[in-house]
Amino acid sequence: MFKTIQPEALTSNTFKTIGKDWMLVTACTKEELPTGEILTGRVNTMTASWGGFGIMWNKPVATIYLRPSRYTKEIIDSTDTFSLSVLGEKYKNALNYCGKHSGRDGDKLAPCKLSVSYMNNTPWIEQANTVLICRKLYAQELNPNCFTDELICKQNYKNNDYHTMYIAEILKVMVDKR
């Protein structure tokens, strides 16, 4: 059973939530029918351990960073919403799997025994303890010329595969109250 809370009511430590617990970034393809109805398509998810929560443009926001090679990035680039799902420690194997396998090669959710629900046509992971439904506001590829610490660039981008940064408004926060 999930309860909706305001983003500012989140009490979890962001450094632990993102850096240690990790989260799943989940999105799906969408098609607008002539009737205006939205038809959701293929769902994909990936593990993320880089990101943040805060305030930008007077809105509660989440930031995520996706490499160009990720299938999830292709989907997020083609849609306006996605979810961030934080799962408990018992799902670490599923998180590892979703981080190491590509959705281009097939459904990653089935082998992990993860289930999807939808909030306004945005998929999220039912096994999560915290879910953020997000709407893209801004996307920009990181620029190698803007790094003020060249060592960070050299250590993280040997293949020049710079992340795209997404800033997204947090539309809804749901926490598991079981």
Side-chain angles (χ1 to χ4, degrees), residues 135-150:
R135 179 178 67 92
K136 281 189 318 185
L137 300 174
Y138 183 83
Q140 181 175 350
E141 185 178 307
L142 297 181
N143 182 335
N145 298 321
C146 294
F147 283 90
T148 58
D149 183 337
E150 290 180 25

Side-chain angles (χ1 to χ4, degrees), residues 64-83:
I64 59 169
Y65 302 86
L66 305 179
R67 289 196 193 265
S69 60
R70 300 306 296 251
Y71 180 56
T72 302
K73 180 186 182 316
E74 287 180 32
I75 295 173
I76 287 178
D77 284 345
S78 71
T79 189
D80 58 343
T81 63
F82 60 88
S83 69

